[in-house]
Amino acid sequence: MKVRIKFTKSGNTKFVGHLDLIRLFQRCIKRAKLPIKYSKGYNPHQLMYIALPLPIGATSESEYMDLDLNEDCNMENIQIKHSLNKVLPVGLKIEDVVHLGEGDKIGMAAVDSASYKIFINKKDVPDDFIKKGESFFSQKEIWVIKKGKKKVREINIKHMIQHYSMEERDKQWTLDLQLATGSRINLKPETVLKKLYEENQWKFREYTMQIHRTEIFSEMENQFIPLLNLKME
């Protein structure tokens, strides 16, 4: 039996990296006494899959984790939710649990896109931030250097930016982005921000801005569907 769990990540847990987050959930799954399946072989591990790693320092209202539970598990979704919330640290919270069908994709295989809200202090960029941003995003091509394990190459990320919008709020600018991401294409918000700052000759200081993930999507028939609502026919 496979289930998909939606959870939020906030507060000090934003400093917990991806691998540490996996280890944390592994311990909490044991403490919650969930009947999770284990892989076979010399070093068995829990069959759990986090959909998309979140950058250290970022928060999120829509993270996803898939669990493969024993077939004889008779726990209701609400029981799984409450059992985990009892043992999770402050800053991590289970919001919802749904069952997955046999044909449903799991983990990063289900991911095609993610949306973000980025908060930028007004003191760190000029007053014409929106004007410069519109000029940047309206370009026909946006080339960045991507460093791989074996080679360095230049790629055009323009088609990977699926949506953007900007607005002014009190003492900060907000930038909304939806980016192509997942196992095939993976554009990170930091990559877009660094290129925006570089082209405008602004000093990029990563920890003066806050990246917040708002949703993770799968694309089906030219529509972006949140992973919690994703069902294969």
Side-chain angles (χ1 to χ4, degrees):
M1 182 180 81
K2 294 183 177 68
V3 296
R4 174 160 293 154
I5 294 173
K6 179 180 180 178
F7 66 95
T8 59
K9 190 179 183 188
S10 61
N12 287 334
T13 61
K14 69 181 182 180
F15 299 115
V16 178
H18 181 63
L19 294 179
D20 287 330
L21 183 67
I22 290 175
R23 286 189 281 266
L24 187 155
F25 268 116
Q26 287 173 339
R27 292 194 298 269
C28 288
I29 287 169
K30 283 185 177 181
R31 291 181 62 193
K33 298 181 179 179
L34 298 186
I36 192 166
K37 286 183 180 179
Y38 282 79
S39 63
K40 298 178 181 179
Y42 181 74
N43 186 27
H45 59 272
Q46 294 178 2
L47 296 181
M48 59 166 289
Y49 315 89
I50 291 180
L52 190 64
L54 189 67
I56 291 179
T59 56
S60 176
E61 62 192 71
S62 295
E63 294 300 285
Y64 294 93
M65 173 176 62
D66 296 338
L67 302 182
D68 197 348
L69 303 177
N70 292 327
E71 300 303 330
D72 59 355
C73 175
N74 57 6
M75 295 180 72
E76 298 290 336
N77 291 346
I78 192 70
Q79 290 178 288
I80 296 173
K81 175 182 174 179
H82 289 333
S83 296
L84 277 174
N85 276 333
K86 285 180 181 179
V87 297
L88 284 173
V90 175
L92 291 174
K93 183 181 179 182
I94 307 301
E95 294 292 339
D96 210 342
V97 180
V98 296
H99 277 76
L100 295 177
E102 287 299 320
D104 291 336
K105 296 179 180 179
I106 61 173
M108 190 174 278
V111 178
D112 293 306
S113 178
S115 58
Y116 302 86
K117 188 175 288 290
I118 301 161
F119 303 94
I120 301 169
N121 195 312
K122 277 189 176 181
K123 295 179 181 179
D124 295 321
V125 291
D127 292 337
D128 60 351
F129 172 76
I130 291 182
K131 180 180 178 181
K132 291 290 180 64
E134 289 287 354
S135 177
F136 172 79
F137 287 110
S138 63
Q139 296 178 98
K140 292 183 179 180
E141 297 179 339
I142 302 175
W143 292 89
V144 300
I145 302 296
K146 185 172 183 179
K147 297 180 181 179
K149 292 182 179 180
K150 295 183 178 180
K151 61 181 180 179
V152 177
R153 59 194 178 100
E154 194 174 18
I155 61 171
N156 179 18
I157 63 170
K158 171 66 177 182
H159 67 287
M160 304 179 196
I161 302 172
Q162 298 162 334
H163 169 78
Y164 76 90
S165 64
M166 294 168 287
E167 65 176 320
E168 181 180 0
R169 287 187 180 179
D170 299 325
K171 297 181 180 180
Q172 60 188 5
W173 303 104
T174 62
L175 170 61
D176 290 314
L177 290 175
Q178 185 170 335
L179 308 175
T181 189
S183 56
R184 293 171 295 172
I185 299 175
N186 190 17
L187 180 58
K188 299 177 181 179
E190 310 97 288
T191 301
V192 179
L193 286 169
K194 286 178 181 178
K195 186 63 177 179
L196 170 63
Y197 276 57
E198 176 190 310
E199 287 207 356
N200 288 286
Q201 297 182 329
W202 301 333
K203 186 175 181 180
F204 183 78
R205 293 183 292 181
E206 190 170 355
Y207 295 104
T208 63
M209 58 188 71
Q210 179 61 53
I211 297 175
H212 179 75
R213 185 143 66 200
T214 54
E215 191 54 84
I216 301 175
F217 304 93
S218 187
E219 186 176 8
M220 294 184 67
E221 299 179 352
N222 296 319
Q223 290 187 329
F224 291 108
I225 303 171
L227 291 195
L228 196 70
N229 304 332
L230 181 62
K231 280 291 180 183
M232 300 292 290
E233 297 296 334

